[in-house]
């Protein structure tokens, strides 16, 4: 099911089976996606798919684990916990997609749907807006460089 940043599932089959799908994702998953926010990590994804009327599906994700991002202050790697539950609506009928911007469309591949980007987006949205180490754990060399650059900018601004 998974290959190079894709996790394809057959929505109709998953809904009919009524089972919760489990997927462990690690650094290689985040590296394969074309994104710069999450450096790596290890998360467990649980997915329950239910089919509604008119070929619409509700995908209930539970994502739990830890991801690595760059610290906003010193840029060094920072591990953050993730524990989030979200619901994504996917429909085969274009009329639902056009009338509701929160509904995603199935492509022409039948009921095959790639959940990789949904996992990434929901993981990213679960992270805090400010991602920093406690100041004592930040990269001291980087903090010194930043402080030096700020001092130079302040001196240049005051001389103008």
């Amino acid at each position: 099911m998974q290959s190079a940043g894709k996790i394809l599932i057959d929505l109709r089959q998953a809904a009919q089976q009524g089972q919760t799908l489990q997927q462990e994702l690690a650094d290689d998953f985040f590296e394969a996606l074309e994104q710069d926010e999450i450096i790596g990590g290890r998360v467990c994804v649980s997915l329950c798919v239910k089919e509604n009327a008119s070929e619409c599906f509700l995908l209930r994700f539970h994502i739990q684990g830890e991801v690595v991002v760059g610290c906003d202050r010193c840029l060094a790697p920072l591990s953050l916990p993730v524990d989030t539950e979200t619901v994504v609506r996917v429909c085969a009928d274009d009329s639902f997609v056009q009338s509701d911007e929160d509904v995603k469309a199935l492509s022409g591949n039948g009921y095959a749907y790639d959940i990789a980007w949904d996992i990434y987006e929901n993981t990213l949205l679960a992270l805090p807006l400010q991602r920093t180490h406690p100041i004592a754990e930040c990269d001291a060399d980087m903090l010194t460089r930043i402080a030096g650059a700020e001092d130079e900018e302040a001196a240049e601004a005051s001389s103008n």
Side-chain angles (χ1 to χ4, degrees):
M1 275 205 210
Q2 180 181 344
S3 66
K6 289 189 176 200
I7 305 174
L8 290 175
I9 62 166
D10 184 316
L11 293 178
R12 176 154 282 162
Q13 181 181 2
Q16 288 173 348
Q17 290 176 349
Q19 299 173 344
T20 299
L21 306 171
Q22 300 281 336
Q23 183 81 43
E24 291 275 338
L25 302 173
D27 294 341
D28 57 338
F29 168 74
F30 295 106
E31 290 169 4
L33 295 174
E34 294 181 11
Q35 55 87 29
D36 297 327
E37 291 286 324
I38 298 177
I39 300 167
R42 182 170 298 285
V43 294
C44 178
V45 179
S46 299
L47 173 63
C48 180
V49 180
K50 297 209 187 277
E51 185 173 7
N52 289 345
S54 302
E55 299 181 322
C56 286
F57 299 87
L58 288 178
L59 286 67
R60 186 173 306 278
F61 290 92
H62 181 213
I63 305 167
Q64 188 173 22
E66 189 171 271
V67 295
V68 179
V69 297
C71 174
D72 290 340
R73 185 182 302 125
C74 70
L75 305 178
L78 168 66
S79 293
L80 293 172
V82 174
D83 191 356
T84 186
E85 289 191 31
T86 56
V87 174
V88 174
R89 290 177 43 206
V90 180
C91 289
D93 187 348
D94 284 341
S95 63
F96 285 103
V97 177
Q98 292 170 358
S99 65
D100 188 345
E101 62 187 39
D102 290 335
V103 176
K104 296 187 176 187
L106 277 172
S107 63
N109 300 340
Y111 293 97
Y113 181 72
D114 182 7
I115 61 171
W117 199 252
D118 292 324
I119 293 169
Y120 166 72
E121 284 180 337
N122 289 306
T123 301
L124 189 61
L125 289 172
L127 298 177
L129 290 177
Q130 187 174 17
R131 305 170 196 149
T132 58
H133 296 105
I135 191 77
E137 294 177 24
C138 275
D139 181 336
D141 180 50
M142 183 60 80
L143 293 179
T144 302
R145 292 173 188 260
I146 292 170
E150 288 173 351
D151 291 343
E152 287 177 18
E153 287 177 11
E156 189 175 305
S158 65
S159 66
N160 290 334

